[in-house]
Structures are given as C-alpha cells and as structure tokens.
Amino acid sequence: MPDLLIELFSEEIPARMQKRASEDLKKLVTDGLVEAGLTYASAGAFATPRRLTLSVEDLLAQSPTTVEERKGPRIDAPEKALAGFLRGAGVAKEDLGTVEEKKGTFYVAKITKEGRPAAPIIAEVLENAIRNFPWPKSMRWGTGSLKWVRPLHSIICVLSAEDGSEVVEFDIDGIVSGRTTRGHRFMAPDAFSVNNFDDYSRKLKSAYVMLDASERADHIWHDATNQAFAQGLEVVEDKGLLVEVAGLVEWPVVLMGNIGDDFLGLPPEVLQTSMKEHQKFFSVRNPKTARIEKFVTVANRETADQGATILAGNEKVLSARLADAKFFWDNDIRTVEREGFEAMAAPLANVTFHNKLGSQSDRIARIAALAREIAPIVGADADEAELAAKVAKADLSSEMVYEFPELQGIMGRYYAKKAGLSDAVADACRDHYSPLGPSDDVPTDPVSVAVALADKLDTLTGFWAIEQKPTGSKDPFALRRAALGVIRLIVNNEARVSLRANFYRHIVSIYDRLAAEHSVLKMDLEQYAEDGSLKKIRWVQTPYESGNEAGLLLYWRMPENDLGLENSDESDRRIALAPTKTSADLLSFFHDRLKVFLKDEGIRHDVIDACLAMDGADDITLLVKRARALSETLATEDGQNLIQGFKRANNILSQAEAKDGVEYSYGPDIKFAESDVEKALFAALDTAEAAIKPAMASEDFASAMSAMAAMRASVDAFFEAVQVNADNEVVRRNRLNLLGRIRDICLSVADLTKLDG
Amino acid sequence: MSQTLEKPRSFQEIILRLQAYWASKGCAILQPYDMEVGAGTFHPATTLRSLGSNPWAAAYVQPSRRPTDGRYGENPNRLQHYYQYQVVIKPSPPDLQELYLGSLKAIGIDADLHDIRFVEDDWESPTLGAWGLGWEVWCDGMEVSQFTYFQQVGGHDCAPVSGELTYGLERLAMYILGADHVMDMPFNDPSAPTPLTYGDVFKQTEEEYARHNFDAANTEKLLKNFEEAEAECHALLDVPADDPKTGKRIIMAHPAYDQCIKASHIFNLLDARGVISVTERQAYIGRVRTLAKACADAFVQTKAGGYVPEATQ
C-alpha cells in the first residue's frame, strides 16, 4: 500500500504555533482521508520554522466501493412520490427492487458508490485542510486571497509505493503541488526533489534541517548541558524556553558565552529574566554558589569561524541589555537606601487601580488595615503584618519592575532586605501574590499569610462592592482565582476567619469612602466612550434604607437629550449600596468556589450543601473540616446505612406531621417502649447524644459523625422489627417522637436532608 | 552581489548603500515627509499608498520623533529624534525576504558569518487603525529590522497586501560600526577633512528637545492645537469633492491627513509632558484613529487610492 508525504513550505512560522499546527495538519488530513474511505496504518507530523510535514503510511490505494440500500415509497404510492425518490437516489425505475413488509410492499433502491483512486481524494482533502486551517492568526500576501500564517511558498504532495512515486496534482491559489523543497535558508538554500518520506528526511538532514522538533530540543539540551558540565557549571532548566528555541531554528548550534563581570552581582532572577525575555538565552549557573555566570544561546547555523562572530554579537547585545538592568537596580537601591522602602510606594498614589476603587495607594491602605485585622487570627504580629502590607507592592514603582513586570514581588523582597526590614516582611513582599495557580505553593509564614489574605480579600470585596463580578467566562479581574487563593490560604493554614463579618466591614468602608471622596465620583463625571466621544454622566447620591439596613444609593443619569434615554429606567443603572446583600452574595460565590475546590478532593456537592446549612458556614476551615468528616462517614457502610435510616425516619415523620398537623419533637418516653429493640434504640440514642454534644462543641466532627454512624445497627433493627404506626395512638406518638429524636441528633451534625439519593 | 562588500565606515554610508540597493531593486527613492512623525509608517507614502489597488514601491529615510524617549543625549541608544529607513512594496513580492537579506549584505552584514533569524512580531498601530503580521529580524540576537505584511490600514483591508520593512538606522549602524554610544558613531567618513560624529550633529539638539518636550512645551496651547488639527481634518474632509473653481473632482485626502499627523505628534508631546492620564490616553488615541480612518476613507475615493470613476468602470 502506498505512503503519502505532504510538506507545506512557508516563511517563518511563529515558534509558539508550530507544534499545534503540525497536529492540526495531521488531524485535518487523516480525518478527511478516513471519512472518504481511505484508511491508513500510521501517521507522523513534524514542524520546523519553515515547514509543516505529514507522513502517512500504508494508505489504501483506492477507496472501497460501497452499496447502500435505500427504502422508497410503497409500490401503490402516487407517481409524484416515486419520482422524487428516484431523483434523490439517482436510479431508474427499472433498477428498483421491492421488499414485503407488514404495512405493504415498498420499493428499494440499491445505490452503488464506486471507489475512487487515492490521488484525487488526497488533493481534495489537502486543499480543504489548507483553506480551513485553524491558525490562531493568519494573513494574506501579495495579490492573493489565500490565508496562511505567513506566505506559503510550495507544497509537496507525493504518493509513493515500491515501484515509484507520483505527485498528487492540485493547485491552490497558484501554488502547484510538486515534489521539490529547499534546505536550510542559508546553509543549503537550493531546491531538491524527493520521492518519499525516508528520502525527504535524509535529504533534509544533509541540507542542514532537523525535521523533528523533539530531536532539535534534545540536541540543544544535550549540547548545552555538556558544554556547561565541561566547565563545572549547570544549565538552568526551562522547558518552555527549550520548546520555543527549538521552534526558532532548523539547524541548532549551541554556543556558550560570558556575562560581563559588571553584571554578575545582579540578582539571579534579574539576569535570568532579562536573558530569557529579551534574548531567549538559557542561564548557566555555578552549582556551588547558585550564581548565574554564563549563558547559552542557540544559533541557527554553523559558520567558518565556529560561531565566534555570532557569539561576540550576542555578548554585546546582552551587555547593553544588562547595562539597562543594572542601571535600574542601582537606581532602585539608591532610592531605597536614601528614602526607605516605604517611600518607594509614594508614586503609587498617582496610579489608578480602578476609577471607583481609587489609586494603588488607596488600595494599599485598605490592605494594610485588613492585614492588621487578620494578623492575630493567623498568628502574625499586627504591626509587622501592617508594615509588610504597606511595602508589599512598593516595588511596583521601582524601575526594575516597570521594565520586567514579572519580577514584581521578587524585587520587593530584595529591596525590603536592603532597607533592613525583617525576613518575614521581605518574604511577604515576594509571597503575598501566592497562590496564583491551583498548583502554586501556599505561603505558610504568618506575616505572608496575613498580607496574602488581605490582598485577595480587598480585591474581592472591592469589585463586589462596585458590582464588577465575574459573569460566565468573563472574569477580567481574576476574581475566581483570588477566591480560590483565599480558600487555599485559609484551609492550608487552618485559619479561622469569619468571612461574612469581614466582608461586611470592608464593603461598608469602601462605600463610606465612595460617598465621602467626591474626587472619586468626579472622575466619573466625564467619561469617554470607546469611539472617543465625550459623554457626560451625572452621579446622584441618596441615602438608602431598606429593612434594618442603611446604606447609600448611588446611581447615574445621562442627560436625556444627549442620548435619548428619557424613557429608560434609571434604576437599571444604579449601584445599590447594600452591604448585607453584597456580603451575602460574595459569600455564596465563595461557597461555589469551595465546591469546585473540594470536588478535586472527591467531596460531592450535596455533602457540602449539607454542611453549608449549618451555623458557621462562613468559616471555611470549619466548613471544610465538617465536609471532610461527613464525606468520610458516608464512605463507611455504617454511615451510608445510617443516612438511609435517617431518610426513612424523616419521610415517615414528614408524612405524619403533615397529616396530624403537629411536630414530633417532644421527646419520647421509654416507658411506652414495647419491645427490646425499641428499648435498645433509646439506649443507642442516649449513647450517641452523649458523645456527639461534646464532640461538636470541640469541633471534633469525625468523632461526632462516627458516634452518629454507630446508631446505625439500632436504627436498622428498629425499622426491621417495629411498626411505627401502631394501633395504639399513645405508642404511635411515642414512636414518632423517637424518630424525631433520631432526626434531631442527625441534624445537629449536618443537614442530611440535603444529601442526594 | 556574490562578493562581500567592504564594511561601511559611517552612518551616512549605510544610508547611502540602502538607498542605492533599493533603487537597484526598483523602488522610487522618496525623501522624508516634511512633518513631525513618530515613525516612518506615518509618511503618506506608506499609510495612504498601502491602500487601494495601485501597485507601489518606495523607499525613504524618515526622521522620527518620540518625545518620551528623550534622554538629553546621554543614553547610549535612546533618542527623541532618530532615523528610520522605510521600504514599502505593493503587492508584496514573493521574494521579499531574499530582497531584504540582500540589503543586509549591501550594508556589510554577511549571512555566512552571522545568525539571522525571523522572530514572530506582529505589528499594530492603534493610532492608525492598522495591523499586520510579520517578524522582528534578529542578527546575532539583536533586532535590526521590522518586517510586516500589512493586513489593514485605517480600518480598510489591504488588497493587495503591502510588504513593509523598517530599519532602525542608529541601532543598526551602531552594530555595524561597532559603536557603544550613539553619539560616538561617525556620521560622515572619519577620514573626511571635517569628520563629524553623530554627537557633533545631534547631541545639542537632543538636549534642547528633551528640555522642551519634558518641561517647556506649552501644554495649554498644545491641547488647543490638538483640537484645532482635529477640527481642521474633519472640515477638509467635509468639503464636497467637486471643486467649483477648476470643475475637477478633488478630494483633499493628503491635506486632511497632514492634520491627522499633526494631531498625533501633539498627542505624543502632551504624553511626554505628563498631562494625559491613563484613562484619557485611550480616548486621545481613539480620536487620532478616527482621523486616520476618515483620511483612509477619503484616500480610497481618489485616483491614487484606486478609485475608478463610474463612467469608465
């Protein structure tokens, strides 16, 4: 069976798109072939900066002939129906067969689709793939209308078998398929022709092209680590950079160069970031001192001078880059030494965080107050936490972070140390942004925890207060991430924060400031629309009172004549400043996030709902402890059966209570117990209650729930042996009250009515 | 071009060689536009001529001004006034990359010894309502040019597509000439009777303009000038096409576009003076873009912009 070779040869494809593009090519082409009946044994996809290549082995030479039977109208159907059927099936009346069925005799058409040779099918599939290729960004060039990631120059499309090969001929916007390609842009630019994939990859290799990206990456890593090792050094691993660099070259040549002595004193993170971001260099570290001493660059060619010119050029460019970095570092250190680190934060007063939430300085002041409040809860010193919060974002106005935003926090830690602040404060500068991603480490030092919590809680309450909540897939302020961060900080550190009270206080203070600071409102008086036109907006404040809640109602009006809004309902556009409602809403957002978080631990939504209904649901540590204990109890046989017993008791009670119009919660009396089983249940309930009460009081949910689960045998035996609805009304009521006690005991642990099944 | 040329000896020799090279490849060698612009792209020979269906090929030096980049001539490679070399060819020829590499060879960069790379860098100009895809070209790790296939200008799809090359001349020349500070770079031939460095020519002006741009430019007047340029641009475009004096159809796309350029430069100055807040910034950029779009709309209604009168269609 023949093999297929496809190469799409273009100008340089962005490194970040290559891998995905080779996979897309493989999928589009092989899916298209299979759909047309051409199955194959295996396929491989490759990408270099200038080409996407696909090799398909053992492809059917021709698609199989297929026969389809299609049932038509009944033989006594009107002529019109038959004519329509014949047209649709593309057959003549004489070719029809018939089939007998219960409902009568029907026409049957046999439609034969002849198989087709592979070549025309491939041509159609490939043309379709090229025209519908899912590039993240594509472009036109010259006078053409075809879109590709960069200008497409030539196409190889060759079917090969043992007896030779043929070009699959087609033409797409003037590019005619063929069997020629070119080697390395500079080292082997001439065209050559190929017969099959083996021939192609062999000739490419001698034309200085390594086709396989993983081979290029391996080659780079191998050479780089060897060169470093020879000098007693090691390359700092960076998989993302390796993939990117492998996508920038067809013929990787690894060169190791020197960093000027002037720059070796810069923090390693600065060297690494500058070299990676600007130059795509790997950092080379001395394992003894952890200092970065050299760099590795990857050139795309060999030269007569063994890369000497290339390396000299790269060293020079790096020196210019690092001279900038050193300039920033020296200036920042000078500022810190002269004025202190806190002073570095002063310019943040002029940086808007959000036009309704004030400047970065306003934000820092809020975070500092909050950090002070949280400090005792997480075991931090309040003064230290407040100081840490005040300086944690100071590096945002440093020159280094302005140049390299990704160094925020990291620079703060260096500058805090230079300013003589404590290690705890310095670490908080670096760590208070954490955790960012779900797999990020969670800070554990109390000062870092206090600032990290305060930072995220301020963001959440702030955006909730001004009604900028995430909707659907839109979460521009990363509030879901912030909430997850809070949850992980609290759970990992077992912090006991009453979120509802915390939210309320903070939201009220934001509203107070909104109302008091006229300057903030004034910023909104004139707003530019997206098209640059000026829209005047009038803010109106009125006191707001509803129930037992007082607040402030803030809404805006457009001058009617400008925008023709005279009939619109201004209440649509108001911000009702209702702190209780806003706090409750934010708490329920947290509960949703918590469900997502606990789902990863295998804890079901309904288990969390059962715990949310209990007191203290705004204390995440308590909530998680309760949910984990309940989840574990449900996993035991006793626990699972007890829940069934509880449900049964609850169902019987609900029916009886609805019928009798009373609530059975008076407490049963053992003197009306008729059987041993019933008496045993009394005893079991006493035992359980005696164990559960103190356990709950000390938040030992595991003990409380195992005590609850231990009732299982007695509850089961009771239902097995005893008829609740006894004829004797006194006995019946006593038994219902007994069930009521089961219910009360269970509900004191968690709201088991919320559990599924 | 098989033998390697001798290395250029001065800043101006690099410019002269680029001029000669692109002239030999058929480009019209134009002169700089006589207004303050932020980049070579603003020259109407690029912005307007990349619109419409008429073929075009031009190359030119464009003095460019970026008021915020002024460093009183002290920074080794940051200037508020610098030169760009700009090549624009429509439709983009299939061998544009090879033509470009030929130009590097002409100014002494031998691809056999250097590592030349095309690294993804998409171009977007929010003020011009323009974008394109392409690369920054690296030579031994240094960015030496921008290479862009224009997709849209002034909100119009480019069809055919223009290829645009931009060389940052000072940086490129410093690299070729081995200068560590821009002001030390020879401007004319070092063996000339009066050898001049870049600093001899520009050190003083960098100081003067840095002071002007950061501290002295009258912001009140500039704000007023911005409004006036904006109004004038719209007013020129609102004039009916039929000229009663000559009886001809004359759309004043270029004079209107001059006002757009003016507004853009004034905005840059205001930005350097620090009187534009972050929120206002977007609005100003939006207003300049509105002008650029209106000029592009007008230009495609002209003959040079590919407009064909209905009678001859």
Side-chain angles (χ1 to χ4, degrees):
Chain A
M1 284 193 284
D3 297 335
L4 172 65
L5 169 66
I6 292 171
E7 184 203 59
L8 304 173
F9 182 77
S10 67
E11 297 178 14
E12 278 75 356
I13 305 167
R16 66 188 170 94
M17 301 179 190
Q18 290 167 19
K19 184 171 193 309
R20 175 72 199 272
S22 66
E23 285 161 5
D24 285 340
L25 177 65
K26 179 171 153 185
K27 182 163 170 37
L28 284 171
V29 171
T30 55
D31 283 0
L33 293 176
V34 169
E35 197 178 319
L38 289 183
T39 52
Y40 62 96
S42 60
F46 307 90
T48 79
R50 292 214 289 169
R51 58 199 96 220
L52 296 181
T53 301
L54 176 66
S55 162
V56 182
E57 281 109 48
D58 290 338
L59 187 69
L60 286 184
Q62 138 152 23
S63 62
T65 298
T66 56
V67 181
E68 181 204 344
E69 282 202 358
R70 196 184 292 179
K71 199 171 104 182
R74 245 164 49 174
I75 50 171
D76 55 358
E79 275 301 307
K80 242 186 173 173
L82 179 60
F85 175 66
L86 292 174
R87 211 167 36 244
V91 292
K93 192 177 173 184
E94 333 41 295
D95 299 331
L96 293 178
T98 56
V99 60
E100 302 277 340
E101 284 184 7
K102 262 190 200 162
K103 290 179 181 171
T105 307
F106 291 83
Y107 283 116
V108 171
K110 267 194 180 172
I111 306 163
T112 305
K113 273 194 189 151
E114 291 294 336
R116 298 165 68 207
I121 295 176
I122 293 166
E124 285 164 20
V125 166
L126 183 54
E127 176 165 355
N128 190 45
I130 292 172
R131 290 201 188 277
N132 299 300
F133 207 83
W135 290 110
K137 275 183 184 176
S138 60
M139 53 164 276
R140 295 169 289 109
W141 61 94
T143 50
S145 60
L146 184 64
K147 286 189 152 193
W148 200 243
V149 64
R150 293 293 182 277
L152 180 63
H153 280 273
S154 63
I155 297 171
I156 290 179
C157 191
V158 172
L159 260 180
S160 58
E162 274 157 29
D163 54 349
S165 65
E166 56 156 332
V167 169
V168 174
E169 286 176 4
F170 69 100
D171 169 330
I172 183 163
D173 266 35
I175 305 167
V176 181
S177 61
R179 58 167 78 243
T180 58
T181 185
R182 290 170 189 278
H184 189 277
R185 181 187 280 287
F186 300 107
M187 298 178 76
D190 293 337
F192 56 87
S193 99
V194 299
N195 294 316
N196 54 47
F197 180 72
D198 286 343
D199 186 35
Y200 168 78
S201 49
R202 199 175 52 247
K203 282 176 176 161
L204 271 185
K205 183 69 60 90
S206 52
Y208 302 97
V209 175
M210 278 187 209
L211 182 61
D212 189 341
S214 57
E215 185 190 342
R216 295 195 298 274
D218 289 348
H219 175 91
I220 292 167
W221 188 246
H222 180 258
D223 267 20
T225 46
N226 272 358
Q227 289 189 29
F229 182 76
Q231 303 200 26
L233 304 172
E234 64 186 14
V235 184
V236 177
E237 197 169 332
D238 188 336
K239 292 219 165 78
L241 182 61
L242 183 59
V243 168
E244 185 181 6
V245 169
L248 288 171
V249 293
E250 291 200 312
W251 193 251
V253 175
V254 171
L255 301 168
M256 190 160 76
N258 291 311
I259 299 169
D261 290 343
D262 289 355
F263 311 119
L264 292 174
L266 286 169
E269 294 94 337
V270 171
L271 287 172
Q272 215 175 318
T273 305
S274 176
M275 295 201 293
K276 174 186 175 170
E277 294 304 315
H278 291 311
Q279 302 303 134
K280 306 194 196 302
F281 289 170
F282 290 93
S283 296
V284 178
R285 179 167 56 198
N286 184 331
K288 289 185 197 111
T289 60
R291 288 204 333 175
I292 288 167
E293 296 183 350
K294 285 176 185 285
F295 69 85
V296 158
T297 183
V298 182
N300 186 31
R301 63 163 308 149
E302 295 165 11
T303 61
D305 64 356
Q306 316 301 325
T309 307
I310 295 173
L311 197 55
N314 275 288
E315 283 175 348
K316 193 162 178 183
V317 179
L318 179 64
S319 287
R321 290 284 189 199
L322 293 182
D324 275 353
K326 188 171 184 316
F327 179 74
F328 301 142
W329 169 254
D330 290 344
N331 282 354
D332 288 343
I333 295 296
R334 213 172 296 136
T335 307
V336 168
E337 285 173 350
R338 199 174 52 225
E339 297 164 27
F341 191 30
E342 219 181 312
M344 192 180 250
L348 295 176
N350 299 320
V351 179
T352 307
F353 171 60
H354 184 282
N355 62 358
K356 289 201 193 72
L357 295 174
S359 69
Q360 286 282 19
S361 292
D362 296 333
R363 179 179 170 219
I364 289 168
R366 290 196 303 267
I367 296 172
L370 200 48
R372 205 182 163 85
E373 205 176 291
I374 294 170
I377 301 172
V378 298
D381 178 74
D383 290 338
E384 206 174 20
E386 184 181 1
L387 174 64
K390 278 184 177 160
V391 297
K393 294 187 190 297
D395 67 349
L396 292 182
S397 58
S398 70
E399 295 188 22
M400 188 69 85
V401 172
Y402 183 81
E403 184 70 13
F404 297 112
E406 62 269 50
L407 290 178
Q408 68 175 19
I410 291 168
M411 297 321 296
R413 180 166 163 274
Y414 282 105
Y415 299 150
K417 287 194 163 186
K418 286 275 174 194
L421 301 178
S422 71
D423 283 357
V425 170
D427 288 346
C429 293
R430 181 189 59 195
D431 296 335
H432 80 281
Y433 294 105
S434 300
L436 288 172
S439 54
D440 258 17
D441 286 344
V442 177
T444 51
D445 181 89
V447 175
S448 293
V449 173
V451 182
L453 275 174
D455 185 15
K456 290 168 181 63
L457 287 173
D458 173 68
T459 303
L460 286 157
T461 48
F463 284 107
W464 239 260
I466 59 166
E467 304 213 328
Q468 294 281 332
K469 306 178 251 189
T471 51
S473 61
K474 287 201 188 98
D475 184 9
F477 306 108
L479 301 179
R480 290 193 181 102
R481 195 174 73 182
L484 180 62
V486 170
I487 290 170
R488 293 187 60 209
L489 279 160
I490 289 179
V491 172
N492 281 32
N493 293 292
E494 296 191 3
R496 303 298 298 270
V497 187
S498 166
L499 288 179
R500 193 193 305 271
N502 188 298
F503 292 163
Y504 182 82
R505 272 199 305 280
H506 210 53
I507 288 168
V508 167
S509 78
I510 286 167
Y511 287 158
D512 282 350
R513 206 188 54 88
L514 259 180
E517 277 191 29
H518 200 60
S519 63
V520 176
L521 299 183
K522 212 164 82 187
M523 282 188 67
D524 289 315
L525 285 175
E526 293 184 348
Q527 285 186 343
Y528 284 100
E530 271 183 8
D531 62 1
S533 67
L534 184 67
K535 286 184 177 149
K536 287 202 169 33
I537 292 169
R538 192 161 69 229
W539 284 90
V540 182
Q541 299 174 40
T542 58
Y544 170 82
E545 246 176 277
S546 165
N548 55 3
E549 173 159 291
L552 189 80
L553 190 66
L554 187 68
Y555 57 98
W556 49 268
R557 273 189 206 156
M558 302 245 183
E560 289 81 350
N561 296 339
D562 284 13
L563 294 155
L565 285 173
E566 60 263 56
N567 295 322
S568 69
D569 179 6
E570 73 186 15
S571 65
D572 287 350
R573 295 188 298 280
R574 75 184 182 189
I575 302 175
L577 306 184
T580 308
K581 184 176 156 290
T582 310
S583 307
D585 191 41
L586 178 53
L587 188 61
S588 92
F589 174 76
F590 259 86
H591 288 155
D592 287 345
R593 293 291 99 201
L594 186 66
K595 286 179 186 174
V596 176
F597 172 72
L598 289 176
K599 196 180 166 196
D600 292 342
E601 281 190 19
I603 298 179
R604 303 191 322 239
H605 281 202
D606 56 319
V607 170
I608 300 160
D609 282 331
C611 299
L612 283 178
M614 308 302 288
D615 284 345
D618 70 332
D619 179 338
I620 288 177
T621 300
L622 194 70
L623 195 52
V624 168
K625 256 166 101 176
R626 200 191 292 262
R628 283 177 179 160
L630 180 56
S631 191
E632 277 163 26
T633 305
L634 287 179
T636 65
E637 209 198 327
D638 274 356
Q640 192 54 49
N641 282 304
L642 179 85
I643 302 303
Q644 297 313 320
F646 163 78
K647 295 221 154 176
R648 196 164 163 190
N650 195 39
N651 286 340
I652 294 170
L653 276 169
S654 305
Q655 284 169 15
E657 284 173 343
K659 190 173 147 224
D660 304 346
V662 290
E663 196 175 314
Y664 290 104
S665 56
Y666 294 109
D669 193 333
I670 196 159
K671 75 179 179 206
F672 299 117
E674 289 184 337
S675 66
D676 288 347
V677 171
E678 211 172 344
K679 284 174 188 156
L681 182 56
F682 271 93
L685 293 185
D686 288 344
T687 311
E689 210 164 32
I692 288 171
K693 267 197 179 147
M696 290 298 289
S698 65
E699 295 173 4
D700 181 358
F701 300 116
S703 299
M705 287 185 197
S706 67
M708 175 182 81
M711 304 189 303
R712 174 243 168 147
S714 308
V715 172
D716 283 359
F718 174 79
F719 280 123
E720 187 76 19
V722 178
Q723 176 77 28
V724 175
N725 287 316
D727 294 335
N728 180 332
E729 191 59 15
V730 176
V731 172
R732 176 176 171 266
R733 287 204 182 153
N734 196 52
R735 284 178 183 164
L736 286 168
N737 279 321
L738 186 58
L739 296 189
R741 217 178 134 200
I742 296 177
R743 180 172 66 182
D744 288 348
I745 291 173
C746 290
L747 290 182
S748 75
V749 176
D751 186 352
L752 304 185
T753 59
K754 294 279 199 292
L755 293 177
D756 294 343
Chain B
M1 299 285 295
S2 63
Q3 84 199 47
T4 311
L5 286 163
E6 235 181 88
K7 284 223 166 198
R9 292 153 58 80
S10 65
F11 183 58
Q12 71 190 26
E13 191 180 346
I14 289 167
I15 295 175
L16 293 169
R17 287 207 199 166
L18 285 173
Q19 299 276 50
Y21 176 82
W22 286 108
S24 78
K25 298 300 173 189
C27 284
I29 303 301
L30 302 183
Q31 300 305 320
Y33 203 56
D34 58 342
M35 291 187 71
E36 298 130 318
V37 295
T41 311
F42 270 87
H43 196 309
T46 295
T47 314
L48 296 182
R49 292 291 178 157
S50 60
L51 293 166
S53 53
N54 293 336
W56 184 251
Y60 54 90
V61 176
Q62 181 62 50
S64 305
R65 304 205 188 205
R66 298 207 172 152
T68 44
D69 279 354
R71 296 291 183 273
Y72 302 84
E74 281 159 15
N75 187 290
N77 47 26
R78 241 182 241 275
L79 301 160
Q80 58 81 37
H81 172 282
Y82 65 103
Y83 289 110
Q84 283 192 341
Y85 196 83
Q86 177 89 359
V87 179
V88 56
I89 305 179
K90 179 174 70 174
S92 64
D95 59 346
L96 189 56
Q97 282 185 310
E98 281 70 30
L99 287 171
Y100 167 75
L101 292 169
S103 76
L104 290 187
K105 194 165 192 173
I107 55 176
I109 296 180
D110 179 357
D112 285 340
L113 274 182
H114 294 276
D115 181 32
I116 294 164
R117 229 88 73 68
F118 293 85
V119 180
E120 178 190 17
D121 189 35
D122 300 336
W123 172 80
E124 187 182 12
S125 168
T127 40
L128 288 176
W131 67 276
L133 298 192
W135 311 273
E136 49 183 46
V137 185
W138 284 18
C139 174
D140 302 337
M142 191 182 75
E143 184 195 339
V144 289
S145 305
Q146 285 279 335
F147 192 128
T148 307
Y149 291 101
F150 278 0
Q151 301 297 299
Q152 228 181 40
V153 172
H156 291 259
D157 280 346
C158 298
V161 167
S162 299
E164 184 214 41
L165 308 172
T166 304
Y167 308 70
L169 283 171
E170 280 80 358
R171 190 142 49 135
L172 184 58
M174 281 170 70
Y175 185 74
I176 294 168
L177 301 170
D180 290 324
H181 197 295
V182 63
M183 293 299 169
D184 299 336
M185 176 166 73
F187 200 102
N188 62 358
D189 195 309
S191 61
T194 311
L196 294 169
T197 63
Y198 195 92
D200 292 331
V201 183
F202 284 122
K203 172 82 168 113
Q204 183 178 323
T205 53
E206 279 300 307
E207 281 177 0
E208 292 178 10
Y209 277 103
R211 184 168 185 200
H212 167 265
N213 298 341
F214 289 130
D215 303 318
N218 183 319
T219 56
E220 253 171 65
K221 282 187 182 149
L222 286 172
L223 286 165
K224 215 172 113 209
N225 291 347
F226 183 93
E227 308 277 341
E228 283 168 1
E230 183 184 44
E232 182 69 359
C233 180
H234 286 305
L236 288 173
L237 294 175
D238 286 344
V239 176
D242 295 321
D243 175 27
K245 200 165 113 192
T246 60
K248 288 183 179 175
R249 182 175 172 277
I250 305 177
I251 293 172
M252 291 176 284
H254 284 81
Y257 181 62
D258 284 352
Q259 299 301 319
C260 169
I261 293 177
K262 202 174 272 181
S264 172
H265 178 65
I266 294 167
F267 161 68
N268 288 340
L269 274 175
L270 286 167
D271 200 19
R273 290 286 279 110
V275 295
I276 293 179
S277 74
V278 183
T279 30
E280 285 174 322
R281 212 164 177 280
Q282 287 312 312
Y284 271 102
I285 289 172
R287 287 163 76 178
V288 177
R289 181 167 59 240
T290 303
L291 299 183
K293 282 187 169 171
C295 294
D297 292 347
F299 180 72
V300 297
Q301 294 301 314
T302 70
K303 205 173 150 205
Y307 175 79
V308 183
E310 269 173 43
T312 58
Q313 261 173 1

